[in-house]
Every structure is written in C-alpha cells, then in structure tokens.
Amino acid sequence: MNEVLLKIAGAVEYPAEFSFADLAAVDPRQQIVDVSQIAAGRKGDAVRLAGLLALVKPKVEARYLNLHATADNFHASIPLNAVTEKAIVLYRLDGQPLTVKAGGPIRFFIPDHKACHTDEIDECANVKFVDTIELAATRGFDNRPHDEQEHADLHAKEQ
Ligand SMILES: Nc1nc2c(c(=O)[nH]1)N[C@H]1C(S)=C(S)[C@@H](COP(=O)(O)O)O[C@H]1N2
Ligand SMILES: [Mo]
C-alpha cells in the first residue's frame, strides 16, 4: 500500500509521489466516495484533482496537464483551466487499488467532459493506468486517436 502509484511533477512548487495510502489520506473534503454520484455508471472512489493540486501547488506558468500512462504508452495533454474543478483521480474500488481491467491502479477521469467546451478534452483524455501527471506551460506529447479509424483500432486492442 506504500508503493508509489502516481507522481505529480513539472511546473509545481512541491513535486510529489502518492501511494494508495497517501491518496486515501488526502483531506476528506477532496474525496469522492462512490463516483456514481457524479459519473453515471462509474464505480469506485476518487480524490479531486483540485485536492492534489492544492498539495503540489502549480506554478503560475502551468497551463497544461500532461497525463502519462507508461503501461501502454498512452499520453494526453489537456488545458489545465478547463478541468481543474472537474477532474478526479480514481484510486479505489472495493477498498483496493483499481484493477488493471478497471483502468487501474489509478485512472484520471473528467465526469462531464463535454461541459469543458474544448476539442482538446474528450473521453479519450480519461487516461487509464495514469502514473505521472506533469504540469507544463505549453501543450505536451499527446497520442490520443485522431480519427474514427485510429479510435476503432485502439478500442479493438482493449479486450
Ligand atoms: N492508458 C490508456 N488510457 C485510455 C485509453 C488507452 O488506450 N490507454 N483509451 C482512451 C479512450 S480512446 C477512451 S474512449 C476511454 C475509454 O474508457 P472507458 O472504456 O472506461 O469508457 O479511455 C481512454 N483512456
Ligand atoms: Mo476514445
């Protein structure tokens, strides 16, 4: 439970590493127990991105969130402003870290991505197996699918 599952780095005052226990110990006001309350059909418990950012303190120049999933080499870079108050980090399912099948151990999630009103934010930015969240001044590497074909190919690999 003390293994590092998530790093937050880049343009922040206090880069940090979080284990399952660290995430569970974040301020209860930043915890969402049972995300189905805010994301229909989704399961598990999460901590608000805002709660994590409050700990690492983004520098003023931070404008983008670069989400990295080393496990399958999937990366997304999205505008920070649009998601600061919405995004959540799912980390617990039935009292345990999320299974890989559920996109775990950690999954970044934007409950109402359409409300962000930017093409840069879509459901593909709900990065599974996310291990590093990097804050940056400019847009970073992003290999989300660009068209229907790429999207279909990616989903075909899922099972
Ligand atoms: N690490 C990782 N995260 C990922 C993907 C992926 O291939 N790898 N696919 C993305 C895409 S394209 C979509 S649409 C959503 C699908 O997640 P869901 O099946 O939970 O709705 O996950 C996103 N997160
Ligand atoms: Mo997607």
Side-chain angles (χ1 to χ4, degrees):
M1 292 293 164
N2 293 320
E3 177 200 346
V4 171
L5 299 181
L6 179 69
K7 291 183 195 170
I8 306 186
V12 296
E13 300 293 344
Y14 309 109
E17 298 185 339
F18 297 89
S19 65
F20 178 83
D22 294 330
L23 292 166
V26 170
D27 186 344
R29 289 169 299 184
Q30 303 289 354
Q31 301 277 344
I32 299 165
V33 176
D34 186 5
V35 298
S36 71
Q37 300 179 66
I38 56 162
R42 299 286 172 174
K43 286 188 280 190
D45 307 325
V47 62
R48 291 178 197 282
L49 175 67
L52 298 178
L53 296 181
L55 299 173
V56 300
K57 301 218 185 316
K59 292 186 176 172
V60 281
E61 67 264 29
R63 303 257 323 275
Y64 277 83
L65 273 184
N66 299 335
L67 306 162
H68 302 289
T70 310
D72 67 345
N73 190 29
F74 188 86
H75 310 267
S77 181
I78 60 174
L80 175 60
N81 260 350
V83 299
T84 330
E85 296 306 323
K86 268 194 259 288
I88 61 176
V89 172
L90 276 153
Y91 72 95
R92 189 168 58 203
L93 188 61
D94 301 327
Q96 301 289 321
L98 268 60
T99 56
V100 170
K101 200 167 180 287
I106 304 277
R107 180 174 199 181
F108 184 86
F109 200 83
I110 307 153
D112 185 11
H113 61 86
K114 288 198 183 72
C116 298
H117 296 297
T118 155
D119 289 345
E120 289 169 285
I121 297 169
D122 56 15
E123 64 183 333
C124 314
N126 289 334
V127 179
K128 303 173 200 175
F129 338 119
V130 64
D131 53 79
T132 306
I133 297 178
E134 183 195 345
L135 286 90
T138 54
R139 192 157 192 262
F141 184 62
D142 193 319
N143 62 0
R144 279 177 289 172
H146 293 293
D147 56 35
E148 294 300 328
Q149 187 58 54
E150 278 184 32
H151 205 197
D153 292 348
L154 182 65
H155 283 280
K157 281 193 282 178
E158 266 170 5
Q159 15 286 337

